[in-house]
């Protein structure tokens, strides 16, 4: 999912350079949403691992 966030961020930057405001704005918004979803899933995974503890 982080891969897709980076792809949409790259599309947003390229679109912004060429002056396509609508495409850049939409791609940046999608990248931001995907990044925060990835961040939340990462934190949940770390908490779950901490709660389970180490394997014997």
């Amino acid at each position: 999912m982080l891969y897709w966030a980076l792809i949409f961020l790259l599309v947003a930057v390229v679109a912004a350079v060429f002056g396509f405001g609508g495409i850049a704005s939409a791609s940046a918004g999608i990248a931001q949403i995907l990044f925060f979803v990835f961040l939340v899933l990462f934190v949940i995974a770390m908490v779950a691992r901490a709660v389970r503890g180490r394997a014997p």
Side-chain angles (χ1 to χ4, degrees):
M1 192 170 300
L2 185 58
Y3 171 77
W4 285 107
L6 292 174
I7 292 297
F8 278 109
L9 180 63
L10 182 64
V11 169
V13 169
V14 169
V17 167
F18 290 118
F20 300 117
I23 296 172
S25 175
S27 295
I30 292 171
Q32 186 177 13
I33 290 169
L34 288 176
F35 175 75
F36 283 119
V37 168
F38 171 77
L39 194 62
V40 167
L41 290 175
F42 177 74
V43 169
I44 290 171
M46 290 296 110
V47 169
R49 183 180 172 125
V51 168
R52 272 192 308 175
R54 289 190 173 178

